[in-house]
């Protein structure tokens, strides 16, 4: 499709004449491919297509060469030429999904090689990215392996075609209760994902209703298997979200007790059946005992019992159980000030450390609550040394502007990854927990809730594509900077125009802070309209059962989570983090109200009182949102009209809606506190 934005970062504009000439001199016009392997096939096709767009002519594919310039593509085991380009030690440095890319200094040869076809495919995308961002090729010599084993996307798509928390249209997988027949869009999605290194996908919502429970039946499996093939060609393993009560719902059993031999036998047989139709099936993703989903608690069993039962069924096939830790009481009484939702995951799961089988991975949301604009890091990451852990991010912008506001999330994710849990002394960062280097665990990695739908540009807000892109890049290499990723995405998406690159990069990098500055202040969450979660409603969740309170009254605001006088959540961290959060003076401003209840007149480290901070940042936030629109309008005619108009419309809405946020919050806090703005601005 040529719809504006559809090509995303794989648009690949024709290079300038001089760049094309230089490239041609390096590799002639030929791709040397000498082995038959499905992933090498994908890699060769991607390279040929990419180069055709960049160069304006299609390269020739050759199987043998006389030493003339070419690009050699192959695995060390399957291509003599690929193997011969590297010494044994150089080959040994390449892992299962890694690659080497070498461009001979004097021209005449580019070699892209790996231990597997998947590695070669990633190497191809790497080379195309280098060309697309204008990086110097001559003499390039790269050896890269992914830092994380699991680089996974979770679709929250339902069989009826809706997408839970989806802000980019309907599902590309399902329509009207059926799995789609035309898989071309899914194939294009697979390309986008593989191009940034994603290697796993769960294709249905973690809330598994009846129609998706049926995905595991004989009737649906053949079509699921076709989707698995599409992703498989791009090195992406397919997972299914499963209903814990499936043995009852589709198995005809009377219970789903994980210790019941009949139930265990049912899962073993079902799993075997699934692997018969999909030999590369990844495994199960499970949301259990959470938000009305069934789980082992019903039978008086714990989550290790529940997960291990599924793990046992998957183990003979090398499958994984990805078990979510988003377990809390969603029927809390708001009058109950003892229960703290933030504590829940830690309280449920740390007692189970060491009890999960080898092929269970616990998937932990980055923060203890639920993908808010600002949260501390989940303390679970530092507390489960004997358990496989993966971190879950939310690319879909449920609480961060729903892809109508701009919010580039990579800086937020980087903060979580760089947090030092102190589990093994200084340097025990979250990224080292999930990449397995800290505790030496067996499995781990990254997951993100997808932000795409059937909107022509995938993500609704075109610039939200940067979140999907950034997730994949970061999962591959968490050392990349938020700035570097923003720049890379911008260049690939919009080309080399310097003003465009500088402007879009700056817009992306400022956007999280802008969004935070007019929405919920200083680490308190929610303040959104109930259910759909869009737009300001300060008390929207204050007297409800979801455990998401801010406790604002006429004197102050915030949640006391200290051990001394509050819920004790701060104690779930290791030292010195625990003491830091326990201390009112030492808690960073941006998390103050997450950990402490303070009077409005409390003075922040910034020197401002809490109430003045609330006013100032709402006013500034609304202005900065307006400035985003101004920045973009300076790019008119430098960005093609279609994409220009799409982004402009979203930024216009954001500018207006930021003022709504400003005024609702300022009015609320002025009326509650009675303390005027020192600068006398208009508050209603
Ligand atoms: O953030 C909440 C969402 C739910 C979601 C849940 C979860 C899929 O509001 O829509 O359900 O988190 O992560 O399970």
């Amino acid at each position: 499709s040529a719809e504006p934005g559809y090509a995303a970062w794989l648009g690949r504009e024709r290079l300038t004449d001089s760049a094309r000439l230089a490239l041609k001199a390096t590799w002639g016009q030929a791709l040397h491919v000498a082995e038959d392997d499905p992933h090498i096939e994908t890699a060769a096709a991607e390279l040929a297509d990419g180069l055709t767009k960049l160069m304006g002519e299609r390269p020739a594919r050759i199987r043998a060469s006389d030493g003339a310039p070419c690009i050699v593509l192959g695995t060390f085991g399957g291509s003599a030429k690929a193997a011969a380009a590297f010494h044994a030690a150089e080959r040994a440095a390449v892992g299962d999904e890694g690659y080497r890319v070498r461009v001979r200094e004097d021209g005449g040869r580019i070699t892209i090689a790996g231990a597997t076809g998947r590695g070669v495919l990633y190497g191809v995308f790497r080379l195309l990215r280098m060309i697309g961002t204008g990086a110097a090729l001559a003499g390039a010599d790269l050896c890269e392996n992914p830092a994380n084993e699991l680089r996974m996307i979770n679709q929250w798509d339902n069989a009826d075609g809706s997408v839970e928390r989806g802000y980019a249209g309907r599902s590309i997988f399902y329509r009207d209760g059926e799995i789609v027949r035309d898989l071309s869009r899914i194939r294009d999605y697979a390309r986008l994902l593989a191009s940034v290194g994603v290697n796993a996908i769960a294709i249905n919502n973690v809330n598994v209703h009846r129609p998706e429970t049926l995905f595991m039946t004989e009737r649906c499996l053949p079509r699921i298997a076709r989707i698995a093939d599409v992703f498989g060609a791009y090195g992406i393993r397919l997972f299914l979200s499963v209903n814990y009560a499936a043995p009852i719902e589709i198995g005809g059993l009377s219970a789903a007790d994980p210790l019941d031999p009949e139930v265990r036998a049912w899962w073993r047989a079902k799993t075997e059946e699934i692997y018969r139709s999909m030999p590369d099936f990844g495994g199960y993703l499970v949301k259990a005992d959470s938000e009305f989903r069934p789980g082992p608690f019903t039978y008086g069993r714990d989550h290790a019992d529940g997960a291990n039962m599924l793990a046992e069924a998957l183990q003979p096939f090398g499958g994984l159980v990805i078990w979510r830790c988003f377990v809390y009481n969603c029927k809390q009484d708001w009058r109950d000030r003892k229960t703290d939702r933030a504590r829940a995951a830690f309280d449920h799961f740390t007692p189970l450390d060491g009890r999960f089988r080898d092929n269970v991975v616990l998937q932990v949301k980055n923060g203890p609550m639920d993908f808010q604009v600002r949260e501390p890091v989940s303390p679970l990451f530092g507390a489960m040394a004997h358990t496989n852990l993966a971190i879950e991010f939310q690319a879909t912008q449920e609480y961060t502007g729903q892809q109508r506001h701009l919010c580039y999330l990579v800086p937020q994710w980087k903060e979580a990854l760089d947090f030092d849990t102190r589990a093994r002394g200084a340097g025990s960062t979250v990224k080292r927990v999930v990449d397995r280097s800290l505790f030496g665990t067996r499995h781990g990695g990254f997951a993100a809730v997808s932000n795409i739908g059937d909107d022509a540009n995938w993500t609704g807000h075109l610039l939200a594509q940067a979140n999907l892109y950034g997730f994949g890049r970061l999962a591959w290499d968490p050392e990349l900077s938020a700035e570097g990723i923003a720049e890379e995405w911008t260049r690939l998406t919009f080309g080399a125009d310097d003003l465009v690159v500088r402007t879009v990069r700056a817009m992306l990098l400022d956007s999280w802070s802008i969004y935070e500055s007019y929405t919920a202040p200083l680490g308190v969450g929610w303040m959104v309209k109930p259910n759909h979660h869009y737009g300001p409603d300060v008390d929207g969740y204050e007297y409800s059962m979801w455990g998401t309170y801010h406790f604002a009254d006429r004197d102050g605001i915030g949640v006391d989570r200290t051990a001394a006088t509050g819920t004790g959540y701060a104690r779930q961290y290791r030292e010195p983090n625990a003491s830091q959060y326990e201390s009112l003076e030492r808690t960073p401003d941006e998390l103050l109200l997450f950990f402490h209840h303070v009077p409005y007149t409390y003075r922040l480290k910034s020197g401002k009182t809490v109430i003045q901070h609330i006013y100032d940042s709402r006013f500034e936030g609304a202005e900065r949102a307006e400035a985003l629109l101004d920045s973009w309008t300076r790019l008119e005619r430098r960005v093609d009209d279609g994409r220009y108009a799409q982004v402009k419309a979203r930024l216009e809405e954001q500018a207006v809606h930021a003022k709504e946020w400003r005024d609702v919050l300022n009015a609320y806090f002025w009326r509650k506190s009675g303390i005027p703005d020192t600068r006398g601005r208009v508050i209603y």
Side-chain angles (χ1 to χ4, degrees):
S1 164
E3 297 269 4
Y6 188 82
W9 55 85
L10 300 181
R12 310 199 197 289
E13 273 174 42
R14 176 85 55 89
L15 298 172
T16 60
D17 288 348
S18 59
R20 276 192 287 152
L21 280 176
L23 255 185
K24 223 162 165 171
T26 320
W27 64 280
Q29 281 285 37
L31 303 188
H32 182 281
V33 183
E35 64 193 302
D36 298 308
D37 168 282
H39 295 122
I40 294 287
E41 226 15 81
T42 308
E46 283 296 328
L47 188 55
D49 285 355
L51 289 173
T52 306
K53 289 201 191 112
L54 292 162
M55 306 291 286
E57 42 188 323
R58 187 157 274 278
R61 193 139 148 197
I62 54 176
R63 261 193 106 90
S65 93
D66 49 7
C70 65
I71 303 185
V72 171
L73 212 68
T75 63
F76 303 131
S79 158
K81 269 208 158 29
F86 303 97
H87 305 302
E90 292 174 328
R91 295 196 295 266
V94 180
D96 192 38
E97 296 179 294
Y99 53 78
R100 300 199 79 111
V101 176
R102 179 170 290 170
V103 184
R104 262 208 322 239
E105 190 80 59
D106 55 354
R109 176 69 56 85
I110 299 177
T111 309
I112 305 174
T116 65
R118 285 170 296 139
V120 175
L121 175 62
Y122 295 133
V124 160
F125 283 120
R126 179 67 162 106
L127 178 72
L128 288 168
R129 207 155 58 226
M130 289 170 76
I131 300 172
T133 52
L137 288 189
D141 194 8
L142 308 172
C143 175
E144 288 170 347
N145 293 298
N148 288 289
E149 176 203 29
L150 198 62
R151 305 180 302 278
M152 184 176 198
I153 284 289
N154 294 177
Q155 297 298 136
W156 283 359
D157 295 36
N158 302 313
D160 66 5
S162 63
V163 180
E164 182 156 350
R165 310 304 178 189
Y167 310 106
R170 309 276 297 171
S171 173
I172 67 166
F173 291 86
Y174 318 106
R175 178 162 309 154
D176 304 330
E178 294 289 339
I179 297 161
V180 297
R181 282 165 196 281
D182 176 359
L183 303 183
S184 51
R185 180 124 199 204
I186 295 176
R187 176 168 290 104
D188 288 342
Y189 186 39
R191 293 183 64 221
L192 287 175
L193 294 180
S195 76
V196 291
V198 167
N199 67 357
I201 186 167
I203 61 164
N204 62 302
N205 188 0
V206 290
N207 291 324
V208 186
H209 316 100
R210 173 140 191 96
E212 302 89 26
T213 307
L214 297 173
F215 285 1
M216 293 197 302
T217 61
E218 221 182 311
R219 191 182 83 85
C220 295
L221 278 175
R223 284 228 227 145
I224 303 275
R226 285 182 59 220
I227 297 180
D229 286 343
V230 169
F231 282 112
Y234 282 90
I236 300 168
R237 288 173 95 189
L238 184 138
F239 286 68
L240 287 175
S241 296
V242 297
N243 179 345
Y244 199 79
I248 306 172
E249 291 207 20
I250 59 174
L253 302 188
S254 56
D257 181 349
L259 299 189
D260 178 340
E262 242 196 315
V263 174
R264 301 176 86 88
W266 185 86
W267 279 107
R268 278 199 304 272
K270 180 50 75 184
T271 304
E272 222 183 291
E273 185 189 340
I274 292 175
Y275 275 93
R276 267 199 304 275
S277 60
M278 292 183 276
D280 288 325
F281 182 63
Y284 301 137
L285 173 62
V286 192
K287 172 176 179 176
D289 291 315
S290 168
E291 300 184 336
F292 314 109
R293 307 318 301 157
F297 286 165
T298 309
Y299 308 97
R301 313 296 184 196
D302 63 34
H303 279 211
D305 297 327
N308 288 343
M309 169 190 62
L310 300 177
E312 177 190 81
L314 288 158
Q315 197 267 328
F317 311 98
L320 295 178
V321 179
I322 318 265
W323 190 272
R324 295 177 85 232
C325 292
F326 186 60
V327 180
Y328 68 100
N329 175 12
C330 66
K331 288 199 207 154
Q332 195 181 321
D333 184 337
W334 62 268
R335 299 166 195 83
D336 160 22
R337 306 268 298 240
K338 286 272 170 306
T339 307
D340 180 4
R341 174 167 163 182
R343 294 185 54 125
F346 185 101
D347 287 344
H348 280 300
F349 286 94
T350 53
L352 305 178
D353 188 27
R355 282 199 41 219
F356 293 95
R357 293 179 71 121
D358 259 4
N359 58 330
V360 176
V361 180
L362 297 190
Q363 183 168 298
V364 183
K365 289 190 182 185
N366 61 283
M369 297 295 275
D370 192 9
F371 301 135
Q372 298 303 291
V373 182
R374 173 76 66 175
E375 283 186 44
V377 170
S378 169
L380 262 186
F381 291 108
M384 301 208 58
H386 308 287
T387 305
N388 301 315
L389 294 184
I391 189 165
E392 177 176 338
F393 297 116
Q394 197 185 42
T396 195
Q397 292 171 234
E398 177 176 3
Y399 292 100
T400 51
Q402 305 203 349
Q403 282 140 255
R404 292 155 81 176
H405 295 234
L406 179 61
C407 195
Y408 173 60
L409 291 164
V410 173
Q412 188 202 52
W413 300 340
K414 289 280 298 181
E415 274 192 25
L417 294 165
D418 289 342
F419 180 80
D420 193 346
T421 68
R422 296 294 184 121
R424 290 282 184 272
S428 303
T429 49
V430 169
K431 65 190 168 199
R432 295 196 51 220
V433 174
V434 298
D435 76 8
R436 303 174 287 163
S437 62
L438 188 68
F439 298 132
T441 39
R442 183 84 177 263
H443 298 288
F446 280 39
V449 182
S450 174
N451 61 352
I452 70 107
D454 73 352
D455 276 2
N457 70 6
W458 299 95
T459 49
H461 200 313
L462 183 90
L463 303 188
Q465 288 177 359
N467 286 330
L468 187 62
Y469 183 89
F471 168 74
R473 298 288 290 123
L474 212 51
W476 182 281
D477 182 3
E479 301 307 324
L480 295 173
S481 69
E483 295 79 8
I485 293 172
E487 167 139 0
E488 195 179 89
W489 176 80
T490 305
R491 284 182 183 279
L492 293 172
T493 302
F494 292 111
D497 181 330
D498 202 48
L499 182 70
V500 175
V501 173
R502 272 185 293 122
T503 305
V504 175
R505 178 182 184 275
M507 289 172 67
L508 291 173
L509 291 168
D510 287 343
S511 59
W512 175 38
S513 137
I514 294 175
Y515 191 74
E516 179 176 31
S517 71
Y518 54 81
T519 56
L522 301 169
V524 281
W526 280 271
M527 298 197 176
V528 291
K529 299 220 168 87
N531 305 320
H532 60 68
H533 301 164
Y534 190 68
D537 184 347
V538 180
D539 284 338
Y541 277 99
E542 193 59 12
Y543 305 101
S544 79
M545 62 185 190
W546 297 94
T548 54
Y549 315 117
H550 55 66
F551 301 125
D553 60 21
R554 66 178 183 177
D555 300 318
I557 178 173
V559 188
D560 183 352
R561 292 193 161 103
T562 63
T565 52
T567 69
Y569 167 77
R571 279 284 143 218
Q572 293 185 339
Y573 292 90
R574 291 172 185 267
E575 292 297 0
N577 299 320
S579 299
Q580 190 188 352
Y581 292 140
E582 183 76 14
S583 153
L584 179 57
E585 292 70 36
R586 286 164 55 218
T587 299
D589 281 354
E590 69 274 11
L591 287 171
L592 185 76
L593 303 181
F594 193 93
F595 286 102
H596 303 278
H597 185 90
V598 297
Y600 293 113
T601 50
Y602 179 79
R603 216 162 270 287
L604 299 168
K605 287 174 200 49
S606 70
K608 289 182 183 178
T609 60
V610 166
I611 190 74
Q612 196 55 39
H613 169 89
I614 292 177
Y615 297 146
D616 286 353
S617 44
R618 285 352 67 187
F619 282 115
E620 281 159 23
E623 274 167 32
R624 291 167 76 201
E626 183 112 39
L628 283 175
L629 175 62
D630 293 341
S631 302
W632 182 255
T633 53
R634 271 178 258 130
L635 303 184
E636 190 168 11
R637 278 183 293 277
R638 286 175 178 262
V639 169
D640 54 283
D641 295 347
R643 291 189 297 175
Y644 175 79
Q646 284 180 15
V647 174
K648 183 159 177 262
R650 301 271 159 161
L651 293 172
E652 280 166 353
E653 173 175 347
Q654 178 175 359
V656 172
H657 201 229
K659 295 190 182 104
E660 173 84 5
W661 270 98
R662 173 196 68 194
D663 292 336
V664 171
L665 266 73
N666 281 345
Y668 178 97
F669 286 106
W670 182 50
R671 292 177 192 183
K672 269 257 147 119
S673 71
I675 303 173
D677 171 28
T678 54
R679 295 173 55 188
R681 288 162 292 196
V682 179
I683 298 180
Y684 298 87

